[in-house]
Amino acid sequence: LTLQTREQHIRRDKATSNICTNQAFCATMATAYLSLLGKEGMKEVALLSMERAQYFAAAISKLDGFSLYWTGPFVRELAIRTPRPAREIIAKMVDQHGVLPGVDAGQWDSSLSNCLIVAFTEKRTFTEIDQFVQLLGRFATAAVAETVV
């Protein structure tokens, strides 16, 4: 019952959504998480997330065809320039590995079609990030090889 709106019980045949209850549930979960973390925990999560994003930025910049899209400061989200359209890399990684590598910035601005927006949290390990970088490199290279042939 927690995840259902009252209208589903009052007018069950005409109920349209349960968005209000879902919003309240998500807000309650976020509040519980943040209260468990506490002030120092929130700071630690932010620093760990930033550390992972910085680590990724350094690693991805070493791959041919990849670079940071903007060189300004960032915390946990960053945009990277890809050697192929980001949507192609995303499609291949999702189809073949079930991994969503990020968001295609080209969906909002066609001049950013080779821009992938990536975000990191404290939950990612350095080993996972290394594997992610290798996978990105492999799929970007595979996309280039397919168009050349």
Side-chain angles (χ1 to χ4, degrees):
L1 293 177
T2 303
L3 299 176
Q4 297 176 344
T5 58
R6 281 183 280 176
E7 73 178 16
Q8 288 177 322
H9 299 288
I10 297 167
R11 304 178 298 145
R12 206 174 280 192
D13 57 324
K14 295 181 182 176
T16 56
S17 71
N18 62 353
I19 192 166
C20 297
T21 305
N22 280 338
Q23 288 175 336
F25 181 68
C26 290
T28 302
M29 294 297 292
T31 301
Y33 174 70
L34 292 173
S35 66
L36 289 171
L37 281 177
K39 185 178 179 180
E40 289 302 313
M42 282 192 281
K43 181 179 177 181
E44 183 179 346
V45 164
L47 290 173
L48 288 172
S49 299
M50 183 176 69
E51 180 183 43
R52 269 100 176 127
Q54 297 292 330
Y55 180 84
F56 171 77
I60 200 72
S61 295
K62 294 176 186 172
L63 285 180
D64 287 339
F66 288 90
S67 63
L68 296 183
Y69 211 91
W70 291 284
T71 57
F74 60 90
V75 179
R76 58 179 231 148
E77 295 96 8
L78 65 149
I80 59 171
R81 187 177 322 281
T82 59
R84 297 293 307 145
R87 66 178 155 56
E88 291 178 16
I89 296 170
I90 292 169
K92 286 185 177 293
M93 288 182 72
V94 168
D95 288 346
Q96 295 181 20
H97 287 279
V99 173
L100 179 62
V103 177
D104 172 21
Q107 67 184 319
W108 299 294
D109 182 346
S110 61
S111 69
L112 299 174
S113 66
N114 286 34
C115 180
L116 183 67
I117 301 170
V118 186
F120 290 89
T121 67
E122 78 284 2
K123 299 216 177 238
R124 294 301 122 223
T125 65
F126 293 116
T127 301
E128 289 172 329
I129 294 170
D130 288 339
Q131 291 169 346
F132 178 55
V133 168
Q134 289 174 355
L135 205 55
L136 269 175
R138 190 167 73 224
F139 278 94
T141 305
V144 170
E146 288 175 10
T147 59
V148 172
V149 175

